[in-house]
């Protein structure tokens, strides 16, 4: 923990790693091949949590993996509230960013969800 108090806490981590990614590629004649990316990365993450009270909580999670050829980051923001003792509702917003050389889609994708947690 970077810090921990009665209603909030912050955790972090940082360290080296290794990434292996492959993507299937199909050419005009329907021949398959694979693009492969191997690289050393640095991974870092932050996790902040705050309790408004015993029934309502906020969380912000950030992580990134940075290499010479690609960078991946993820952010998840969520609020959860207990509806009854064993059932909670969670609202979350997730952003994922990937500028990797093997990627075929948009660099940034987002997801919004409402879920019941028991």
């Amino acid at each position: 923990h970077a810090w921990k108090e009665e209603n909030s806490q912050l955790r972090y981590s940082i360290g080296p790693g290794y990434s292996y990614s492959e993507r299937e590629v199909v050419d005009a004649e329907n021949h398959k091949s694979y693009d492969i990316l191997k690289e050393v990365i640095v991974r870092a993450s932050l996790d902040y949590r705050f309790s408004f009270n015993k029934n309502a909580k906020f969380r912000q999670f950030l992580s990134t993996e940075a290499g010479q050829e690609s960078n991946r980051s993820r952010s998840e923001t969520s609020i959860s509230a207990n509806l009854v003792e064993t059932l909670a509702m969670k609202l979350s917003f997730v952003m994922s960013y990937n500028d990797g050389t093997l990627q075929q889609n948009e660099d940034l994708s987002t997801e919004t969800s409402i879920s019941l947690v028991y």
Side-chain angles (χ1 to χ4, degrees), residues 42-93:
V42 173
R43 183 180 187 283
S45 68
L46 289 172
D47 186 3
Y48 174 72
R49 296 172 188 225
F50 180 81
S51 295
F52 296 102
N53 55 45
K54 68 177 188 171
N55 294 317
K57 298 174 184 160
F58 170 81
R59 180 177 184 223
Q60 176 64 58
F61 178 77
L62 301 166
S63 69
T64 189
E65 296 174 1
Q68 290 183 343
E69 298 292 325
S70 67
N71 294 301
R72 290 184 292 272
S73 298
R74 178 179 163 87
S75 169
E76 180 177 348
T77 306
S78 64
I79 295 176
S80 62
N82 291 346
L83 301 174
V84 293
E85 190 174 309
T86 59
L87 183 66
M89 182 178 290
K90 179 179 175 182
L91 171 64
S92 63
F93 179 69

Side-chain angles (χ1 to χ4, degrees), residues 73-76 93-99 103 105-112:
S73 298
R74 178 179 163 87
S75 169
E76 180 177 348
F93 179 69
V94 177
M95 294 188 300
S96 297
Y97 176 81
N98 185 351
D99 71 353
Q103 180 180 325
N105 302 325
E106 297 282 327
D107 286 349
L108 178 67
S109 63
T110 60
E111 172 186 324
T112 304

Side-chain angles (χ1 to χ4, degrees), residues 21-40:
S21 304
E22 67 180 53
R23 177 184 71 182
E24 184 178 274
V25 178
V26 180
D27 65 14
E29 287 94 36
N30 210 23
H31 296 106
K32 293 182 184 178
S33 64
Y34 294 91
D35 286 341
I36 297 174
L37 174 64
K38 303 177 201 175
E39 65 180 338
V40 174

